[in-house]
Amino acid sequence: MSKTATLEFDGKKYEFPVTVGTENEIGIDIKKLRGEAGLITLDPGYKNTGSCESAITFLDGEKGILRYRGYAIEDLAEKADFLEVAYLLIFGELPTKEQLSKFTNDIKEQSHVDEEMKKILDGFPKSAHPMGVLASLTSALIAFNPSSVDVSSEEDMYKAIVKILGKFPVLAAWTLRKKNSLPLNYGDEDLGYVENLHKMMFEKPNKTYKVDKAVIDALDKLLILHADHEQNCSTSTVRMVGSSHAGLFASLSAGISALWGPLHGGANQAVIEMLERIKEDGGDTHKFMQKAKDKEDPFRLMGFGHRVYKNFDPRAKIIKKSADEVLGQLGVEDPVLDIAKGLEKEALEDDYFVKRKLYPNVDFYSGIIYRALGIPVEMFTVMFALGRLPGWIAQWREMRLKKEPIGRPRQIYVGESHREFKPLGSR
Ligand code: SDX
């Protein structure tokens, strides 16, 4: 394979080095393009543009492969628990017992939130979308943890990391409790990370909390499946904001806002709303398939398609199987599961979808499990954020430790050429 790429423009030839990744992905290094050729590249949505070299997550969209630090997502989802995977993503290795115990305890030490934060949460109307509340609370945390901002040493980064891993589940749970008019409580730090999250979300003041282990296992698996996904929209946002050294919490707050969008993490909420709409409309999946293909119709098949996966999203396969298991274990019947399966079957046989390689993505079935676990639909994307938190942290840490430059893309200007100012009276 050649070590350089040649660009010919205006009768001149330019050579650029080629970077080859672990799995033989090839990138043309254009760092010197503008300096040597006076040219820039243009790539709206960065469909062909790599922003960084990263050792955290590998995706093969054609083969439907997803690995965290080299470990297959199928293995991690089956054999690991969420905090183990969080440690793996952030620090690069599966933790030893001692490392996991220290990590867990350091997080527990930080699993309280300043009482004043309740006043900020109080200021939101109950109708506020949890993702907007969570983005705001995450940013507000900075005021109570100023030492988490200027973190250039690994030690200071570690302190900020365990702080947010401890406090984020509290903020997420409080966001739900506020909507349910329940007192803002703490869980029980003798419980595991995921069970404690579930307890904080659902414990009732006048009832003994108990939960089916199947629920915690399902939640743990879903969080693992959402934990990282290389340079997706929200992770790229975290990297971009982090590149200005705005601090970890500010970067995460921006990432939460990016994830909220229905084209990204907000799709899990949009999928259930779409399935409910189809059910209310009589369950005619074929009618909605036609709408999804009609360019004049704004309707899209939410939970379908992906920028990278042009084959099955491996997470969707695991979640689909888990949906059957969890609903069976909990004895939950959900008619929209059959509608989802009907849509998937029809889409996989439909030329429009087959030609465009549109398959179910991580968001297509996840909401069905969240709903079976009693999680309200407006909290689905918060669950995605809880899962993605360690991935965002890992990517932010990698970017800062590599001392990457501030992100500042170029543009091609297509506006007015220079023109003289006209006084108001003469316009
Ligand atoms: C996530 O990047 C990540 O890794 C994200 C994520 C992660 O873990 O971080 O995996 C999580 O965000 C998953 C995606 C969730 N979003 C949705 O389910 C929303 C529905 N999907 C689409 O909006 C779309 O597929 C995107 C946004 C996911 C991808 O958009 P692209 O890559 O920009 O592709 P595109 O919009 O240019 O579509 C290509 C073609 C178009 O048709 P043509 O112009 O070629 O005729 O496919 C069509 C699109 O109209 N198309 C769809 C469709 N998705 C794409 N048509 C109908 N329904 C859809 N869902």
Side-chain angles (χ1 to χ4, degrees):
M1 176 196 317
S2 60
K3 289 277 174 270
T4 59
T6 305
L7 171 73
E8 190 164 344
F9 179 73
D10 240 359
K12 284 192 192 144
K13 280 192 177 179
Y14 305 90
E15 295 281 311
F16 296 99
V18 156
T19 296
V20 183
T22 313
E23 302 294 338
N24 298 317
E25 291 167 299
I26 299 170
I28 302 172
D29 181 338
I30 56 166
K31 281 199 258 320
K32 295 201 173 89
L33 176 61
R34 194 166 185 276
E36 289 181 7
L39 302 169
I40 66 166
T41 58
L42 202 51
D43 187 18
Y46 311 110
K47 295 190 175 188
N48 307 282
T49 299
S51 62
C52 61
E53 291 177 313
S54 177
I56 298 170
T57 292
F58 171 68
L59 304 188
D60 181 320
E62 282 64 38
K63 296 184 187 136
I65 292 173
L66 169 57
R67 297 187 197 127
Y68 296 161
R69 298 285 189 178
Y71 294 95
I73 191 63
E74 294 80 4
D75 283 345
L76 294 171
E78 271 317 303
K79 300 167 186 165
D81 76 25
F82 181 59
L83 272 198
E84 267 182 294
V85 171
Y87 187 98
L88 169 69
L89 284 167
I90 297 168
F91 303 110
E93 297 296 337
L94 284 168
T96 62
K97 263 200 193 120
E98 298 70 30
Q99 287 167 331
L100 184 58
S101 165
K102 178 181 184 314
F103 187 54
T104 305
N105 291 331
D106 289 347
I107 291 167
K108 284 181 177 179
E109 280 304 304
Q110 295 298 331
S111 55
H112 61 280
V113 170
D114 195 291
E115 267 312 280
E116 302 290 288
M117 286 287 289
K118 291 181 178 177
K119 291 179 187 155
I120 298 170
L121 180 55
D122 241 8
F124 285 95
K126 274 174 62 176
S127 58
H129 193 288
M131 284 298 275
V133 175
L134 191 57
S136 309
L137 293 180
T138 302
S139 197
L141 265 185
I142 300 166
F144 300 96
N145 300 276
S147 63
S148 69
V149 180
D150 182 10
V151 286
S152 39
S153 74
E154 280 209 57
E155 189 196 349
D156 288 346
M157 283 185 196
Y158 182 81
K159 286 177 189 160
I161 288 168
V162 293
K163 268 186 184 165
I164 195 67
L165 282 168
K167 300 177 192 306
F168 197 75
V170 179
L171 299 181
W174 283 3
T175 303
L176 175 59
R177 297 184 75 85
K178 154 106 187 172
K179 280 188 96 60
N180 292 340
S181 304
L182 287 171
L184 304 181
N185 66 335
Y186 282 95
D188 172 354
E189 63 173 33
D190 293 334
L191 298 176
Y193 190 83
V194 175
E195 188 171 359
N196 188 35
L197 164 68
H198 188 270
K199 179 171 184 179
M200 287 191 285
M201 288 174 74
F202 294 106
E203 183 181 34
K204 297 277 188 306
N206 54 347
K207 277 193 180 150
T208 310
Y209 170 78
K210 55 182 188 301
V211 66
D212 189 322
K213 185 177 177 306
V215 169
I216 302 306
D217 290 349
L219 212 39
D220 197 287
K221 183 182 281 190
L222 279 167
L223 294 176
I224 289 172
L225 291 168
H226 286 81
D228 194 53
H229 216 237
E230 54 132 280
Q231 305 312 316
N232 58 84
C233 178
S234 55
T235 298
S236 299
T237 303
V238 169
R239 277 181 172 259
M240 179 63 89
V241 172
S243 72
S244 76
H245 293 194
L248 175 58
F249 296 8
S251 307
L252 293 172
S253 176
I256 295 164
S257 297
L259 185 71
W260 190 0
L263 295 185
H264 189 14
N268 57 16
Q269 173 174 346
V271 167
I272 286 290
E273 288 164 350
M274 171 188 76
L275 294 174
E276 282 294 339
R277 179 180 164 198
I278 295 171
K279 186 182 81 171
E280 294 316 312
D281 184 81
D284 179 357
T285 53
H286 185 67
K287 169 181 161 186
F288 284 86
M289 288 294 289
Q290 300 319 312
K291 285 171 65 64
K293 299 189 297 187
D294 176 358
K295 291 301 172 199
E296 301 311 309
D297 190 324
F299 177 82
R300 278 204 153 180
L301 204 54
M302 300 311 277
F304 256 78
H306 198 276
R307 174 63 58 76
V308 174
Y309 289 123
K310 300 306 170 194
N311 193 325
F312 246 90
D313 182 331
R315 301 166 297 177
K317 272 188 191 168
I318 298 169
I319 294 173
K320 178 182 176 185
K321 181 166 168 285
S322 188
D324 282 325
E325 290 163 1
V326 172
L327 271 67
Q329 283 164 334
L330 300 178
V332 169
E333 286 283 315
D334 189 343
V336 301
L337 178 56
D338 293 333
I339 292 176
K341 288 179 177 175
L343 280 173
E344 176 189 340
K345 185 173 180 312
E346 205 170 326
L348 298 183
E349 292 158 6
D350 182 293
D351 184 53
Y352 172 96
F353 285 82
V354 171
K355 195 161 69 92
R356 291 168 178 79
K357 300 182 177 172
L358 303 175
Y359 290 87
N361 59 48
V362 67
D363 294 312
F364 191 58
Y365 286 104
S366 55
I368 292 167
I369 302 182
Y370 288 141
R371 190 151 81 163
L373 300 183
I375 294 167
V377 65
E378 68 273 12
M379 284 291 288
F380 286 3
T381 314
V382 168
M383 301 314 294
F384 194 141
L386 281 157
R388 186 52 52 89
L389 181 63
W392 285 333
I393 291 170
Q395 300 274 350
W396 169 85
R397 181 173 178 273
E398 181 178 72
M399 177 272 302
R400 286 298 308 272
L401 289 179
K402 286 171 77 172
K403 298 187 177 3
E404 306 231 340
I406 185 168
R408 202 270 183 225
R410 290 279 180 159
Q411 64 162 23
I412 295 294
Y413 175 70
V414 293
E416 297 283 346
S417 304
H418 178 262
R419 44 186 177 161
E420 292 303 329
F421 180 78
K422 275 190 204 146
L424 183 57
S426 65
R427 289 177 211 155

